[in-house]
Amino acid sequence: MVLRRKMQGAKLHSESTLITETDPKSLMAEQYRTIRTNILFSSVSESYRTLLVTSTEQAEGKSTTVANLAVVLADQGKKVLLVDADTRKPTLHHVFSLPNQIGLTNVLVKQVSYQGAVSKTKIDNLFVLTSGPIPPNPAELLGSSVMNEFLGKALDEFDYILFDTPPILSVTDAQVLANQCDGSIFVVNSGKANIDKTRKAKEVLQSAKAKVLGVVLNNREIKDFNSYYYYGSE
């Protein structure tokens, strides 16, 4: 199954980053809700509660995508935990205007419980676990037994856990985490994506035994609504 979403890009940290909150009736916000619907439909026979979002390279819109997806899931009354697992270049604390002194890395080295590191946002049902301090060994932490313990405990409390991860071709972090998640979503910037690199990134995800649920095609010029969206299967 493949999700392909054509969306106009939004600058991270700008007012338009959380378009699903600031302008929920906009066409862009509706597209995020359609992505949510497609994920829910794809999980009729399987439960996709832990979702990873990644990209081929930097600045393709993965953080904007995962943040807005978290918002629309929370809007349905689902209790959602959004985790910034991009500990090398964290951004979600900026998006939600949260402190980042304590976060995921502190949880994974057992300095604090995850309950003590999670922040409630102003959006009902949406909670964020920021990255915390940048560690010297991000991939090792993400692949540790403590991560499995964290997932098990968090799934008892939350309906969905979403991870923002580094680009797949830059470092191994996303690969390590992908096979611990129920599904992965791949964000591609149509204005800068290299076809060969994109194919390579998909192969890397699949070799990590990730279940790729679909692709979000970002930063696409929209001329009319009919060209806005394509959905297919493979």
Side-chain angles (χ1 to χ4, degrees):
M1 184 277 290
V2 173
L3 293 165
R4 293 188 179 92
R5 169 67 54 199
K6 299 179 180 180
M7 306 185 70
Q8 291 176 317
K11 290 184 179 179
L12 198 62
H13 312 159
S14 72
E15 193 176 82
S16 60
T17 299
L18 282 180
I19 190 73
T20 47
E21 182 204 9
T22 59
D23 193 3
K25 294 184 179 180
S26 66
L27 185 58
M28 282 182 65
E30 181 60 29
Q31 304 317 300
Y32 285 113
R33 286 191 287 272
T34 304
I35 294 173
R36 174 194 65 194
T37 300
N38 289 337
I39 291 171
L40 295 178
F41 273 128
S42 69
S43 62
V44 171
S45 59
E46 297 182 62
S47 179
Y48 298 136
R49 296 179 58 201
T50 53
L51 300 170
L52 176 148
V53 178
T54 190
S55 60
T56 303
E57 298 181 287
Q58 291 287 344
E60 295 203 74
K62 65 178 179 61
S63 297
T64 298
T65 298
V66 73
N68 281 282
L69 181 55
V71 171
V72 295
L73 283 169
D75 284 345
Q76 273 203 328
K78 305 297 183 182
K79 192 173 182 182
V80 179
L81 177 61
L82 177 58
V83 181
D84 195 340
D86 189 348
T87 58
R88 300 168 193 265
K89 291 186 178 180
T91 56
L92 293 181
H93 61 289
H94 293 300
V95 174
F96 291 92
S97 301
L98 295 171
N100 193 32
Q101 286 78 23
I102 296 175
L104 177 63
T105 53
N106 303 93
V107 173
L108 296 182
V109 297
K110 295 191 171 184
Q111 290 180 341
V112 296
S113 68
Y114 87 87
Q115 293 95 334
V118 167
S119 299
K120 191 178 188 316
T121 70
K122 61 182 180 180
I123 299 165
D124 289 343
N125 303 311
L126 180 56
F127 298 77
V128 173
L129 178 57
T130 63
S131 68
I134 298 174
N137 56 342
E140 290 179 26
L141 288 178
L142 294 176
S144 67
S145 60
V146 183
M147 171 58 82
N148 282 324
E149 292 173 17
F150 156 65
L151 280 173
K153 292 176 181 177
L155 283 169
D156 287 338
E157 182 176 353
F158 294 93
D159 297 306
Y160 291 97
I161 304 175
L162 276 62
F163 291 94
D164 183 17
T165 65
I168 195 76
L169 294 186
S170 300
V171 289
T172 61
D173 301 19
Q175 299 173 53
V176 169
L177 190 55
N179 62 18
Q180 300 182 63
C181 293
D182 299 326
S184 298
I185 297 170
F186 195 50
V187 179
V188 176
N189 187 323
S190 66
K192 64 174 285 189
N194 176 283
I195 293 177
D196 291 335
K197 286 185 177 180
T198 301
R199 285 179 179 147
K200 174 65 174 175
K202 180 184 176 184
E203 291 170 1
V204 169
L205 266 180
Q206 290 174 328
S207 69
K209 298 184 179 178
K211 185 172 181 61
V212 181
L213 298 182
V215 175
V216 174
L217 183 60
N218 201 25
N219 200 28
R220 178 80 174 183
E221 186 67 28
I222 304 305
K223 298 195 175 182
D224 59 69
F225 183 80
N226 290 331
S227 69
Y228 205 84
Y229 174 62
Y230 169 79
Y231 174 83
S233 61
E234 67 178 17

